[in-house]
Amino acid sequence: MRILVVEDDRLLNSTLCYNLTTVGYQVDAALTKADAIGQTEKQNYELIVLDINLPDGNGFDFCREIKERRPDTAVIFLTANDMESDMLKGFELGADDYVTKPFPISVFQKKVSALLSRITKQSGGDFYDDGNLLINFSELTAALSGQAVTFTPLEYRLLKVLTSNSKQVLTRGQLLEKLWDAEENYVDEHALTSAISRIRGKIEVNGYQYIKTVYGMGYMWIGGLKK
Protein backbone atom coordinates (compact mmCIF):
# COMPACT_ATOMS: atom_id res chain seq x y z
CA MET A 1 0.00 0.00 0.00
CA ARG A 2 1.50 3.32 -1.09
CA ILE A 3 0.48 6.64 0.47
CA LEU A 4 1.22 10.24 -0.51
CA VAL A 5 1.16 12.83 2.29
CA VAL A 6 0.50 16.35 0.93
CA GLU A 7 1.03 18.79 3.81
CA ASP A 8 3.02 22.05 3.80
CA ASP A 9 3.79 21.95 7.54
CA ARG A 10 7.17 20.20 7.44
CA LEU A 11 7.00 18.92 11.01
CA LEU A 12 3.51 17.48 10.64
CA ASN A 13 4.39 16.03 7.24
CA SER A 14 7.48 14.31 8.67
CA THR A 15 5.52 13.06 11.68
CA LEU A 16 2.78 11.54 9.54
CA CYS A 17 5.25 9.96 7.12
CA TYR A 18 7.28 8.48 9.98
CA ASN A 19 4.27 7.01 11.77
CA LEU A 20 2.75 5.56 8.61
CA THR A 21 6.09 4.08 7.56
CA THR A 22 6.62 2.40 10.94
CA VAL A 23 3.40 0.41 10.53
CA GLY A 24 4.39 -0.93 7.12
CA TYR A 25 3.15 1.50 4.46
CA GLN A 26 5.26 2.93 1.65
CA VAL A 27 5.00 6.69 2.07
CA ASP A 28 6.03 9.66 -0.06
CA ALA A 29 5.84 13.32 0.96
CA ALA A 30 4.87 16.50 -0.88
CA LEU A 31 4.92 20.03 0.54
CA THR A 32 3.13 21.78 -2.33
CA LYS A 33 0.41 21.10 -4.88
CA ALA A 34 2.96 21.21 -7.70
CA ASP A 35 5.12 18.63 -5.93
CA ALA A 36 2.07 16.41 -5.36
CA ILE A 37 1.08 16.60 -9.03
CA GLY A 38 4.61 15.60 -10.03
CA GLN A 39 4.55 12.63 -7.64
CA THR A 40 1.18 11.35 -8.90
CA GLU A 41 2.35 11.56 -12.51
CA LYS A 42 5.18 9.15 -11.70
CA GLN A 43 3.53 6.87 -9.13
CA ASN A 44 0.12 5.37 -8.38
CA TYR A 45 -1.12 5.78 -4.81
CA GLU A 46 -3.82 3.86 -2.99
CA LEU A 47 -4.30 6.81 -0.63
CA ILE A 48 -3.53 10.53 -0.60
CA VAL A 49 -3.54 12.37 2.73
CA LEU A 50 -4.31 15.89 1.61
CA ASP A 51 -4.16 19.26 3.35
CA ILE A 52 -6.72 21.79 2.05
CA ASN A 53 -4.57 24.91 2.41
CA LEU A 54 -1.41 24.60 0.31
CA PRO A 55 1.04 27.42 -0.53
CA ASP A 56 0.41 27.16 -4.29
CA GLY A 57 -3.23 26.14 -4.42
CA ASN A 58 -5.79 24.19 -2.45
CA GLY A 59 -6.49 20.57 -1.76
CA PHE A 60 -10.02 20.73 -3.18
CA ASP A 61 -8.68 21.51 -6.66
CA PHE A 62 -6.02 18.82 -6.41
CA CYS A 63 -8.61 16.28 -5.21
CA ARG A 64 -10.83 17.10 -8.21
CA GLU A 65 -7.89 16.68 -10.60
CA ILE A 66 -6.67 13.39 -9.13
CA LYS A 67 -10.17 11.92 -9.03
CA GLU A 68 -10.60 12.74 -12.73
CA ARG A 69 -7.38 10.96 -13.60
CA ARG A 70 -7.47 8.14 -11.04
CA PRO A 71 -10.95 7.78 -9.51
CA ASP A 72 -9.93 4.75 -7.45
CA THR A 73 -7.38 6.72 -5.40
CA ALA A 74 -8.68 7.27 -1.86
CA VAL A 75 -8.38 10.72 -0.26
CA ILE A 76 -8.35 11.78 3.38
CA PHE A 77 -8.55 15.54 3.86
CA LEU A 78 -6.34 16.86 6.63
CA THR A 79 -7.12 20.41 7.66
CA ALA A 80 -7.68 22.99 10.34
CA ASN A 81 -11.00 23.90 8.70
CA ASP A 82 -13.87 22.33 10.63
CA MET A 83 -16.69 24.16 8.86
CA GLU A 84 -19.54 21.93 7.75
CA SER A 85 -19.50 23.50 4.27
CA ASP A 86 -15.82 22.52 3.81
CA MET A 87 -16.52 18.96 4.91
CA LEU A 88 -19.47 18.64 2.55
CA LYS A 89 -17.42 20.03 -0.34
CA GLY A 90 -14.67 17.51 0.37
CA PHE A 91 -17.08 14.58 0.35
CA GLU A 92 -18.77 15.87 -2.80
CA LEU A 93 -15.38 15.78 -4.52
CA GLY A 94 -15.02 12.12 -3.61
CA ALA A 95 -13.03 12.30 -0.38
CA ASP A 96 -13.23 9.19 1.80
CA ASP A 97 -12.65 10.87 5.17
CA TYR A 98 -12.00 14.24 6.76
CA VAL A 99 -9.69 14.77 9.75
CA THR A 100 -9.58 18.09 11.62
CA LYS A 101 -6.32 19.25 13.20
CA PRO A 102 -5.16 18.71 15.88
CA PHE A 103 -5.72 14.95 16.14
CA PRO A 104 -4.16 11.94 17.91
CA ILE A 105 -1.75 10.08 15.62
CA SER A 106 -3.07 6.73 16.90
CA VAL A 107 -6.60 7.61 15.80
CA PHE A 108 -5.35 8.80 12.42
CA GLN A 109 -3.47 5.51 11.91
CA LYS A 110 -6.64 3.54 12.65
CA LYS A 111 -8.59 5.62 10.13
CA VAL A 112 -5.94 4.94 7.49
CA SER A 113 -5.86 1.23 8.32
CA ALA A 114 -9.66 0.89 8.17
CA LEU A 115 -9.86 2.75 4.87
CA LEU A 116 -7.08 0.76 3.19
CA SER A 117 -8.50 -2.52 4.49
CA ARG A 118 -11.84 -1.62 2.93
CA ILE A 119 -10.12 -0.81 -0.36
CA THR A 120 -8.29 -4.13 -0.27
CA LYS A 121 -11.50 -6.09 0.27
CA GLN A 122 -13.25 -4.25 -2.54
CA SER A 123 -10.37 -4.95 -4.92
CA GLY A 124 -10.30 -8.61 -3.99
CA GLY A 125 -6.83 -8.51 -2.47
CA ASP A 126 -5.90 -11.18 0.04
CA PHE A 127 -4.50 -9.12 2.92
CA TYR A 128 -4.66 -8.77 6.67
CA ASP A 129 -3.85 -5.28 7.97
CA ASP A 130 -4.59 -3.84 11.41
CA GLY A 131 -2.21 -0.88 11.20
CA ASN A 132 0.56 -2.75 13.02
CA LEU A 133 0.66 -6.21 11.43
CA LEU A 134 0.41 -6.49 7.64
CA ILE A 135 0.15 -9.90 5.96
CA ASN A 136 -0.06 -10.36 2.19
CA PHE A 137 -1.36 -13.91 1.77
CA SER A 138 -1.16 -13.70 -2.03
CA GLU A 139 2.57 -12.97 -2.04
CA LEU A 140 3.38 -14.67 1.31
CA THR A 141 5.00 -11.57 2.77
CA ALA A 142 4.46 -9.87 6.12
CA ALA A 143 5.61 -6.89 8.17
CA LEU A 144 5.24 -5.92 11.80
CA SER A 145 5.66 -2.20 12.61
CA GLY A 146 7.30 -1.81 9.22
CA GLN A 147 9.84 -4.62 9.77
CA ALA A 148 9.69 -7.75 7.60
CA VAL A 149 8.52 -10.93 9.33
CA THR A 150 9.13 -14.41 7.93
CA PHE A 151 6.55 -17.18 8.30
CA THR A 152 6.64 -20.80 7.15
CA PRO A 153 3.97 -22.08 4.72
CA LEU A 154 2.18 -23.80 7.61
CA GLU A 155 2.26 -20.58 9.66
CA TYR A 156 0.77 -18.62 6.75
CA ARG A 157 -2.03 -21.19 6.42
CA LEU A 158 -2.69 -21.05 10.15
CA LEU A 159 -2.67 -17.24 10.13
CA LYS A 160 -5.11 -17.23 7.22
CA VAL A 161 -7.53 -19.48 9.13
CA LEU A 162 -7.25 -17.42 12.32
CA THR A 163 -7.57 -13.97 10.69
CA SER A 164 -10.50 -15.14 8.56
CA ASN A 165 -12.32 -16.17 11.73
CA SER A 166 -11.43 -13.19 13.92
CA LYS A 167 -13.03 -13.12 17.40
CA GLN A 168 -14.28 -16.69 16.95
CA VAL A 169 -13.08 -19.58 19.08
CA LEU A 170 -11.63 -22.33 16.90
CA THR A 171 -11.10 -25.70 18.51
CA ARG A 172 -7.89 -27.58 17.91
CA GLY A 173 -9.92 -30.10 15.93
CA GLN A 174 -11.31 -27.38 13.66
CA LEU A 175 -7.86 -25.93 13.10
CA LEU A 176 -6.35 -29.31 12.29
CA GLU A 177 -9.16 -30.00 9.81
CA LYS A 178 -8.72 -26.63 8.09
CA LEU A 179 -4.94 -27.05 7.91
CA TRP A 180 -5.21 -30.34 6.06
CA ASP A 181 -3.89 -29.21 2.66
CA ALA A 182 -4.81 -30.21 -0.88
CA GLU A 183 -2.07 -32.85 -0.95
CA GLU A 184 -3.51 -34.27 2.28
CA ASN A 185 -0.34 -33.58 4.21
CA TYR A 186 -1.39 -34.29 7.77
CA VAL A 187 -0.84 -31.68 10.48
CA ASP A 188 -0.70 -33.23 13.93
CA GLU A 189 -1.34 -31.77 17.40
CA HIS A 190 2.35 -31.20 18.05
CA ALA A 191 2.85 -29.30 14.76
CA LEU A 192 -0.17 -27.11 15.54
CA THR A 193 1.09 -26.28 19.04
CA SER A 194 4.55 -25.48 17.71
CA ALA A 195 3.17 -23.26 14.92
CA ILE A 196 1.00 -21.31 17.37
CA SER A 197 4.01 -20.80 19.63
CA ARG A 198 6.26 -19.63 16.78
CA ILE A 199 3.69 -17.17 15.48
CA ARG A 200 3.23 -15.71 18.95
CA GLY A 201 6.97 -15.32 19.31
CA LYS A 202 7.17 -13.38 16.05
CA ILE A 203 4.23 -11.00 16.41
CA GLU A 204 3.33 -10.70 20.09
CA VAL A 205 5.91 -8.08 21.02
CA ASN A 206 5.77 -4.69 22.73
CA GLY A 207 2.79 -5.73 24.83
CA TYR A 208 0.51 -6.84 21.96
CA GLN A 209 -1.51 -10.04 22.02
CA TYR A 210 -2.91 -11.53 18.82
CA ILE A 211 -3.85 -15.10 19.72
CA LYS A 212 -5.87 -15.86 22.83
CA THR A 213 -5.86 -19.36 24.31
CA VAL A 214 -9.38 -20.29 25.36
CA TYR A 215 -8.61 -23.04 27.85
CA GLY A 216 -10.50 -26.26 27.30
CA MET A 217 -11.66 -25.09 23.87
CA GLY A 218 -9.03 -23.73 21.49
CA TYR A 219 -7.71 -20.45 20.14
CA MET A 220 -9.14 -17.09 19.09
CA TRP A 221 -7.62 -14.30 16.97
CA ILE A 222 -8.12 -11.02 18.86
CA GLY A 223 -6.19 -8.72 16.54
CA GLY A 224 -3.38 -7.03 18.42
CA LEU A 225 -4.85 -6.02 21.78
CA LYS A 226 -2.60 -4.55 24.42
CA LYS A 227 -1.92 -7.02 27.23
Side-chain angles (χ1 to χ4, degrees):
M1 289 291 182
R2 199 170 192 100
I3 301 172
L4 176 63
V5 176
V6 187
E7 165 61 60
D8 64 325
D9 183 319
R10 290 180 179 272
L11 178 58
L12 178 57
N13 195 314
S14 297
T15 300
L16 292 173
C17 289
Y18 172 78
N19 281 276
L20 290 171
T21 300
T22 59
V23 293
Y25 301 116
Q26 298 180 64
V27 186
D28 295 325
L31 296 171
T32 65
K33 179 185 173 184
D35 189 9
I37 291 172
Q39 299 260 32
T40 56
E41 288 176 346
K42 297 182 293 184
Q43 175 70 52
N44 289 326
Y45 293 95
E46 281 75 27
L47 170 64
I48 296 177
V49 178
L50 179 58
D51 187 20
I52 287 180
N53 299 309
L54 297 170
D56 57 345
N58 68 72
F60 290 140
D61 290 339
F62 179 66
C63 180
R64 184 184 296 109
E65 293 164 14
I66 198 67
K67 285 292 186 178
E68 288 175 354
R69 288 190 289 130
R70 294 174 182 159
D72 292 337
T73 300
V75 174
I76 294 179
F77 274 117
L78 191 69
T79 178
N81 298 338
D82 59 358
M83 293 177 60
E84 182 179 352
S85 59
D86 285 338
M87 293 184 181
L88 290 174
K89 183 175 181 179
F91 287 126
E92 287 169 0
L93 290 171
D96 297 87
D97 209 339
Y98 199 110
V99 181
T100 303
K101 305 171 189 175
F103 53 86
I105 291 294
S106 59
V107 172
F108 176 74
Q109 285 178 322
K110 286 298 182 183
K111 281 180 173 286
V112 169
S113 174
L115 177 56
L116 292 179
S117 293
R118 187 165 72 247
I119 292 170
T120 297
K121 290 176 182 177
Q122 291 172 348
S123 64
D126 195 6
F127 290 83
Y128 171 84
D129 182 8
D130 61 21
N132 183 52
L133 174 63
L134 172 64
I135 307 172
N136 184 330
F137 290 105
S138 299
E139 299 181 2
L140 298 184
T141 58
L144 181 71
S145 298
Q147 300 297 314
V149 181
T150 302
F151 296 111
T152 67
L154 173 58
E155 289 164 5
Y156 271 114
R157 284 159 49 208
L158 178 53
L159 283 163
K160 179 62 177 175
V161 173
L162 290 168
T163 57
S164 298
N165 296 275
S166 180
K167 305 298 175 62
Q168 298 180 40
V169 178
L170 296 174
T171 67
R172 294 178 67 84
Q174 288 174 318
L175 288 170
L176 290 170
E177 181 180 350
K178 292 177 182 294
L179 291 173
W180 196 299
D181 65 22
E183 286 76 37
E184 297 188 351
N185 292 320
Y186 180 65
V187 178
D188 61 20
E189 292 264 355
H190 176 71
L192 173 60
T193 301
S194 297
I196 290 282
S197 178
R198 290 196 304 270
I199 290 172
R200 280 176 162 160
K202 294 174 182 179
I203 65 176
E204 293 192 339
V205 297
N206 299 324
Y208 285 97
Q209 182 181 9
Y210 278 92
I211 302 172
K212 179 180 180 180
T213 299
V214 183
Y215 292 99
M217 298 182 66
Y219 302 98
M220 179 170 63
W221 184 265
I222 58 175
L225 295 180
K226 276 285 189 178
K227 296 180 181 178

